[in-house]
Amino acid sequence: MTDFLPRDTPVQLVDTTGAFSADPVYPTPAPDALVDGYRSLVIGRRVNDQCNALVRQGRLAVYPSSHGQEACQVAAVRVLDADDWLFPTYRDTVAVMLKGVAPAEATLMLKGDWHGGYDPHVHNVAPQATPLATQLLHAVGFAHAAVLKGESTVVLAMCGDGATSEGDFHEALNFAAVFHLPVVFFVQNNGFAISVPLSRQTAAESLAHKAIGYGMPGERVDGNDLAALLSVLGAAVDRARSGGGPTLVEAHTYRMQAHTNADDDTRYRDGSEVRAWADRDPLLRLRTHLRREGLLTEESEASFTEAADSIAATLRDALNTDAQLDPDDLFRFVYATRTPQLEEQSALLDGELRRTGQEAQA
Amino acid sequence: MTMIQDRPMAASANRETMTMATAVNRALGDAMADDDTVLVFGEDVGALGGVFRVTDGLTARFGERRCFDTPLAEAGIMGMAVGMAMNGMRPVVEMQFDAFAYPAFEQVVSHVAKMGNRTRGRVRMPIVIRIPYGGGIGGVEHHCDSSESYYVHTPGLLVVAPATPQDAYSLLRSAIRSPDPVVFLEPKKLYWAKGEVDTSLEVPIGAAHVIRAGTDATLIAYGTSVPIALAAADAAEEEGRSLQVVDLRSLTPYDDATVDAAVRSTGRAVVIAEAPGFASVSSEIAARVSERCFSWLEAPVRRVTGFDIPFAPPKLERYYLPDVDRVLDAVDTLNWDA
Ligand SMILES: Cc1ncc(C[n+]2csc(CCOP(=O)(O)OP(=O)(O)O)c2C)c(N)n1
């Protein structure tokens, strides 16, 4: 059982100065994996910046930013094969896009056009869950079905530190361990659940320690160190795929911005803490490392910026366009077959719109 | 239950204009000052003062012991409230949004609602469950539910839905004093609407009142639908129709006497609610009025409610929400040629 214990300190491969040190257990990611990963970090940061701007311009109803957590977003996706599934939260829009969902589809829910914008089966991404920790059980069920069907799918399920207090988190870990399922539980511990600090969520030494009670390994990793994340999460995915069962990985990171645009974080935290975390920025550190190793050229950096610019432009185009929405969609998907009552209600709305001359613009 | 009379208009030291959010905050503070067994807890209610700032300043004023953040777990919050109530406290818990109260549902239904009955009255549950509810705020999924029917359908719970700062203040004071558990539904879209509050005014739970006189038909509303009813009555007046408006304020207990008297005086009734209409609070009101006022009615009781669908996304919200036109359309069908 003792090998289920997480480290005393989070696994780290690249420190805040960009210096690398090999780990006795976890492998060192290949250089090109780090360079590709850095490209995704640049894109992820740009997506966050652009979405924040679009909220200010009134084009998005709300945006929970993952600024500062981009290394987690990138690693969660890069350790998965195309057939593997991601179960994200509302804060994981960057991960959703990196898994292949088009920017317009990934942000459609936040734009307010519909409750979700993408087909989960196209890129193997479950709908982003807002009710905390609920998606973890869905991930467990998905993995269980995959096992029953004889498929080798690995499921990576994300949640925040606050969500680990919900009953569903504990039930999900227990089910996954009892059924020995290929699930990686990935907690982004960003220090806060809206205003509530981690100390109010747990008295345990770390969130990763919770794994032991359920009979699975737990590990802690520096959540701003992409190299370490790729290595630790990669090992968990390998374990899951080879029949080793679930793992709980806790990434230590920080929510650099307010919970959402609607939040005022000056009410509950000190700006100096935020500034201190800026020195541990995941982009800065990996960039320093890669440049020092001669892995990052001016040209590649320019091309990464260009890729990020292009995604930002796509986002702006998508969100600055008002979609032609069909009000009858409200009735279209509630049941596979409309009930007679919904037929009636849809006709009522249609009649109202005809009378007022604003029938379905579609 | 009697009808609440119009309040005396004399200036009073206790009268002040404030938003509903401030009125709720004031009621919490006043109740905590009066009774030190009153505790406020939930998610983000401490340093932040709640995501709607309704608990602003309570921790600073009364200390961490009296107003505190819990770990993020609604079932935990509600279950802890049960134990605290068993041991002499009066917990006032906040569920951050309507749909985030669902993890607590088991504790609410199986224990908060049933403990008094189970123990033959030996253990009462003086718990208030505050829930910001309803739409009209452009909120995304899970932030706009009107969940009152689940609670009203649960025997053992009192359910209240104020529509004005005054009622929010006075009903919350009554709720905190109540020996029975109260689900206190706060219409989010009305949080920032201002009104005069007289902190000395008592409003008992279970008392509806007529808030607009009228002779041709009665609009029955509560919480989020009250401003719609009032606006519809204003619009109807321009068309020469006089609509009376009843604000239920309490859903359980339901004030049959006030509603019956109102409907009998006009002979026509429309129930307005934002929640899906099927098997809902509005269904119950329509059924009761039909049964009890049948001989007075000139037309079947009509309902104007939300559609029987999950709450609409922000951009389609306006098609979902009951509005003045939909209410007036329903009024038009009330058999006026009879
Ligand atoms: C069941 C439930 N309760 C409450 C909320 C409201 N809420 C949304 S995010 C949040 C904080 C979550 O914190 P954490 O899990 O640490 O994730 P983070 O937002 O920091 O990424 C809360 C309380 C919710 N979405 N679901």
Side-chain angles (χ1 to χ4, degrees), chain B residues 16-39:
Chain B
E16 205 185 306
T17 298
M18 61 181 82
T19 63
M20 184 185 287
T22 303
V24 175
N25 177 270
R26 191 69 62 88
L28 291 170
D30 290 353
M32 292 172 87
D34 285 359
D35 176 353
D36 60 16
T37 66
V38 175
L39 306 176

Side-chain angles (χ1 to χ4, degrees), chain A residues 230-255:
Chain A
L230 289 171
S231 194
V232 169
L233 285 172
V237 168
D238 289 347
R239 178 183 302 116
R241 200 176 321 276
S242 60
T247 306
L248 172 64
V249 176
E250 174 191 10
H252 293 253
T253 181
Y254 195 79
R255 199 193 72 211

